[in-house]
């Protein structure tokens, strides 16, 4: 005879489920409101995000000038800002101008490569002769061409877009200067404004988030540079044209983990296929695979001393979700946002745990824009 359900236990389970459901709905509603507010204030938030990313790249130089050479904060921030502008101007003159002049050829090469793959798929051994498949390929090529044309026209004729880009850049540079100059004062000031244990929790989470963001941006920039150099050198040895645009594309897409490397490699193989043939295309594919293996197993562990703590599957899902929600910007920001969410989750779990967290090795902390140095040098 089957056992009867206990009414008290059933009511308790239903009550617990109802409470959890209501709490979950409240959390989701709060998250929706926060995201809605972020979307409404995106014109202000986006320059701040750009400034923070630039500050993570330039802060080591400013820190060296401030705490090693005892420069004044304003002087160090101004010098680093001017140096950054000079480097960016040099990159535009040396790289961006030739890349822009070859961008049309690069786009046409991608389209021709897709057409070559379509022709190969329609012949032996695959013999894909279905008119629907052929029509789908043609529609994809036409859509790429139309999208490329729309993007070019929009860039050239969209005065509002250009103006917004200039305003965002100027605001980001000014904010970067102030972050470099006054960043170390922020967390002590914020700690005095918060009540109770928030005065300790918020600065602790902010410090961990800053360390994680800095580690991600600097490591991705350096690893992307290594990828661009080695892949560009391999393409040059094979004789593939458009080496400089492909190397720049490899560096830029390195900031989108996993997906960016696949996209840059796909474009390089297509260009080699169109201009050099199947043999050189396979050689280029081999070069890209070797460089990516070196990146994952050698470069990344050496450069990124403090990992993000995210599984590769989480990174892939985050990039996919970010790209689906906000396009290119979402794909670029997906991994840093996921890493910051992970930082908050780990900290909250530590505070709610019964046992204290595992002790970390005693390493002198490096001062960042959110904290003063432990001792003057």
């Amino acid at each position: 005879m089957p056992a009867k359900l206990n009414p008290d236990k059933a009511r308790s389970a239903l009550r617990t489920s109802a409470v959890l459901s209501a709490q979950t709905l409240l959390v989701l509603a709060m998250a929706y409101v926060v995201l809605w507010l972020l979307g409404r204030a995106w014109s202000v938030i986006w320059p701040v995000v750009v400034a923070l990313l630039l500050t993570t790249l330039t802060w080591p130089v400013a820190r060296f000038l401030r705490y090693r050479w005892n420069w004044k904060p304003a002087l160090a921030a101004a010098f680093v800002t001017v140096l950054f502008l000079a480097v960016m101007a040099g990159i535009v003159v040396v790289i961006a101008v030739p890349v822009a002049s070859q961008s049309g050829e690069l786009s046409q090469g991608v389209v021709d490569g897709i057409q070559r793959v379509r022709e190969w798929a329609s012949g032996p051994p695959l013999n894909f002769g279905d008119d629907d498949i052929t029509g789908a390929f043609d529609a994809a090529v036409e859509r790429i061409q139309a999208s490329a044309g729309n993007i070019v026209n929009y860039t050239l004729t969209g005065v509002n877009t250009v103006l917004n880009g200039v305003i965002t850049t100027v605001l980001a540079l000014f904010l970067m200067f102030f972050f470099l100059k006054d960043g170390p004062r922020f967390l002590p000031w914020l700690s005095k404004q918060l009540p109770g244990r928030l005065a300790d929790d918020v600065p602790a989470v902010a410090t961990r988030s800053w360390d994680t963001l800095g580690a991600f941006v600097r490591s991705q920039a350096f690893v992307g540079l290594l990828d661009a150099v080695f892949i560009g050198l391999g393409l040059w040895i094979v004789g593939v044209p458009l080496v400089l645009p492909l190397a720049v594309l490899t560096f830029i897409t390195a900031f989108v983990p996993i997906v960016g490397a696949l996209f840059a490699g796909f474009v390089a193989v297509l260009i080699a296929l169109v201009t050099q043939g199947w043999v050189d295309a396979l050689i280029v594919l081999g070069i890209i695979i070797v460089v990516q293996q070196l990146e994952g197993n050698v470069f990344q562990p050496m450069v990124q001393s403090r990992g993000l703590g995210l599984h590769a599957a989480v990174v892939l899902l985050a990039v996919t979700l970010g790209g689906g929600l906000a396009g290119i910007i979402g794909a670029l920001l997906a991994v840093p946002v996921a890493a910051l969410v992970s930082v908050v989750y780990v900290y909250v779990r530590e505070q709610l745990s019964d046992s204290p967290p595992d002790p970390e090795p005693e390493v002198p902390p490096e001062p960042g824009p959110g904290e003063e140095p432990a001792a003057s040098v």
Side-chain angles (χ1 to χ4, degrees):
M1 182 176 179
K4 294 182 179 180
L5 292 177
N6 188 308
D8 294 333
K9 291 183 178 180
R11 281 193 296 268
S12 177
L14 290 174
R15 189 181 303 111
T16 302
S17 300
V19 171
L20 290 177
S21 300
Q23 292 174 341
T24 303
L25 289 175
L26 288 175
V27 171
L28 292 177
M30 185 61 187
Y32 176 81
V33 172
V34 170
L35 292 176
W36 182 81
L37 292 175
L38 290 177
R40 300 291 294 180
W42 186 247
S43 60
V44 177
I45 295 174
W46 177 233
V48 175
V49 172
V50 175
L52 285 174
L53 295 176
L54 296 179
T55 305
T56 59
L57 289 173
T58 56
W59 173 247
V61 180
R63 180 183 61 213
F64 180 82
L65 295 176
R66 292 179 61 167
Y67 303 123
R68 296 291 182 180
W69 287 4
N70 295 322
W71 284 29
K72 296 295 184 182
L75 180 60
F79 177 80
V80 171
T81 303
V82 173
L83 179 63
F84 176 79
L85 289 174
V87 171
M88 291 298 102
I91 292 176
V92 170
V93 173
V94 176
I95 296 180
V97 173
V99 169
S101 64
Q102 294 178 308
S103 60
E105 187 178 353
L106 178 62
S107 301
Q108 187 62 41
V110 173
V111 174
D112 293 341
I114 295 175
Q115 182 70 17
R116 178 74 66 87
V117 173
R118 185 191 69 82
E119 294 174 355
W120 171 77
S122 63
L126 299 179
N127 294 319
F128 286 159
D130 192 350
D131 294 337
D132 293 336
I133 297 178
T134 303
F137 272 107
D138 293 338
V141 172
E142 292 176 0
R143 185 171 182 178
I144 291 174
Q145 291 174 332
S147 299
N150 291 335
I151 291 172
V152 172
N153 293 332
Y154 187 77
T155 303
L156 294 177
T157 61
V159 178
N160 291 334
T161 302
V162 174
L163 182 61
N164 291 335
V166 172
I167 293 175
T168 299
T169 303
V170 173
L171 284 176
L173 290 174
F174 274 104
L175 289 173
M176 183 185 76
F177 168 79
F178 288 116
F179 289 164
L180 292 173
K181 174 179 174 291
D182 299 323
R185 303 177 183 177
F186 176 70
L187 286 186
W189 172 85
L190 180 62
S191 180
K192 295 177 182 178
Q193 313 306 314
L194 296 174
R197 62 174 299 171
L198 288 178
D200 297 325
D201 292 338
V202 173
V205 172
T207 301
R208 294 190 186 187
S209 300
W210 173 258
D211 293 339
T212 300
L213 183 63
F216 170 77
V217 173
R218 288 191 292 270
S219 64
Q220 289 300 123
F222 190 73
V223 171
L225 180 62
L226 293 178
D227 286 349
V229 170
F230 285 115
I231 291 178
L233 183 61
L235 296 177
W236 177 74
I237 293 175
V238 175
V240 178
L242 305 175
V243 172
L244 188 58
L246 291 173
V248 173
L249 180 65
T250 301
F251 173 77
I252 294 174
T253 55
F255 288 92
V256 184
I258 302 177
V259 178
L262 292 176
F263 174 74
F266 174 72
V267 173
V269 171
L270 282 182
I271 297 298
L273 174 63
V274 173
T275 59
Q276 306 292 111
W278 285 103
V279 175
D280 287 346
L282 292 176
I283 294 175
V284 170
L285 178 61
I287 292 173
I288 293 173
I289 292 175
V290 170
V291 172
Q292 293 299 325
Q293 290 298 314
L294 288 175
E295 173 196 332
N297 298 307
V298 179
F299 298 156
Q300 196 80 6
M302 290 176 58
V303 175
Q304 192 171 350
S305 58
R306 190 178 303 175
L308 297 178
L310 297 178
H311 192 273
V314 176
V315 172
L316 182 59
L317 292 175
V319 172
T320 303
L321 179 61
L325 293 177
I328 296 177
I329 294 178
L332 289 173
L333 300 180
V335 176
V337 170
L340 296 182
V341 171
S342 176
V343 167
V344 175
Y345 169 76
V346 170
Y347 183 83
V348 172
R349 188 183 62 184
E350 290 177 357
Q351 301 306 310
L352 298 178
S353 176
D354 293 331
S355 58
D358 296 333
E360 298 181 357
E362 296 183 0
V363 179
E366 295 183 351
E371 55 182 353
E372 291 284 1
S376 302
V377 177

